[in-house]
Every structure is written in C-alpha cells, then in structure tokens.
Amino acid sequence: NTKELSVDHRLTQVCELLMETIPYYDWVGFYFKNGDKEELKLRSFAGEPTDHDIIPFGKGICGQVAISNENFVVPDVKAQNNYIACSIHVKAEIVVPLFVNGENIGQIDIDSHTPDPFSKEDERFLEFVNEKVAEILE
Ligand code: SME
C-alpha cells in the first residue's frame, strides 16, 4: 500500500543522507524484526547490496542486538567471533536498536571502512535518528 511505500522511501532517504554526509559511514541500513519469525529482515539501505537480507536472532552483530536491546559498537570486526562479514572492506560496525513504544522492533546498522571510527557521539546521534524514524513508523 501507498503508506508502506512512502515509509520505505523515507527510510532509504535517511540511509542515503547519512552515508553521504558522514565520511566514515560506508554502508547504512535498517533491519526490522520479521513478523513472528525469529529473524531480522533488511528493509532499506544505502551502499553496496548485501547477501544478508535475512539474519536469524543471535547471529552476527545485528542478530545479537535483536536480543540484547543494546547498542553494539565494534571498533574492529576481526576481533569478533560472532560476526557476519558483508564486505572485505569493512573494518568497524555500529548497531543501534530502534524502539517503538519501548519495544525493540529493529535497528540501524552502519559499516565503516575506517578502523575504530565510532564514538559516544555516534551512539547519541543514531539514537536520535532512530527516535525520529520511530515517529514515521507509528
Ligand atoms: N555485519 C552484520 C551483518 C549485516 S552487514 O553488516 C550489512 C552482522 O554481523 O550482523
């Protein structure tokens, strides 16, 4: 339906804007919990297409955040054993859960080609982005 389409379009615009504006954001995507399934599904992204459009809960950085409800900052992806590689260029990753009415319904996921680029400022900024995104989803 039209409303879903416009939300998808706006989510894609958010991804593109973040990727274009912040030099060390090299891939930006939104994953959402997929109905009653114990998995995440990629809904919108900017950057190279990924094979990982479905991620089971618990798997990789994204799958862990689906369960923990907490930000996950990875300064060095090589140091993680529960990590799903999307591109050999990726050095670091940040995943911030997206809450609607207090419920973790998905997440923003950012990959960087720069080692250890993410600070507390990125966490606060991405929490703010997710609060704004939650408003268009409600
Ligand atoms: N690296 C993620 C998978 C998603 S890609 O970064 C787009 C993970 O470990 O969950």
Side-chain angles (χ1 to χ4, degrees):
N1 70 38
T2 325
K3 185 151 183 268
E4 290 288 308
L5 278 179
S6 76
V7 170
D8 283 352
H9 182 67
R10 291 169 79 183
L11 288 174
T12 303
Q13 286 182 317
V14 171
C15 294
E16 285 170 352
L17 181 66
L18 291 177
M19 211 185 105
E20 284 159 16
T21 312
I22 302 170
Y24 54 92
Y25 288 9
D26 294 301
W27 188 93
V28 180
F30 285 100
Y31 284 93
F32 285 88
K33 292 186 175 177
N34 192 11
D36 290 339
K37 297 184 189 143
E38 303 267 295
E39 66 184 28
L40 295 161
K41 188 167 189 255
L42 184 62
R43 182 158 172 190
S44 304
F45 71 95
E48 290 294 306
T50 173
D51 289 337
H52 304 286
D53 53 340
I54 299 283
I55 299 177
F57 288 3
K59 266 212 74 185
I61 309 306
C62 296
Q64 293 177 77
V65 170
I67 294 167
S68 73
N69 308 322
E70 283 173 13
N71 297 350
F72 199 152
V73 180
V74 180
D76 173 11
V77 295
K78 285 206 170 67
Q80 295 291 320
N81 44 35
N82 189 0
Y83 168 72
I84 303 164
C86 284
S87 149
I88 53 161
H89 304 294
V90 175
K91 300 276 198 301
E93 177 163 2
I94 183 170
V95 178
V96 174
L98 171 54
F99 297 98
V100 171
N101 300 321
E103 189 189 348
N104 175 2
I105 63 148
Q107 54 194 231
I108 189 166
D109 174 22
I110 294 163
D111 286 339
S112 182
H113 299 171
T114 304
D116 195 7
F118 302 117
S119 67
K120 283 284 167 201
E121 263 187 88
D122 293 278
E123 289 190 66
R124 296 297 88 81
F125 171 61
L126 295 170
E127 287 163 4
F128 172 79
V129 169
N130 278 356
E131 281 166 28
K132 295 289 138 196
V133 166
E135 288 171 19
I136 69 170
L137 294 171
E138 270 164 5

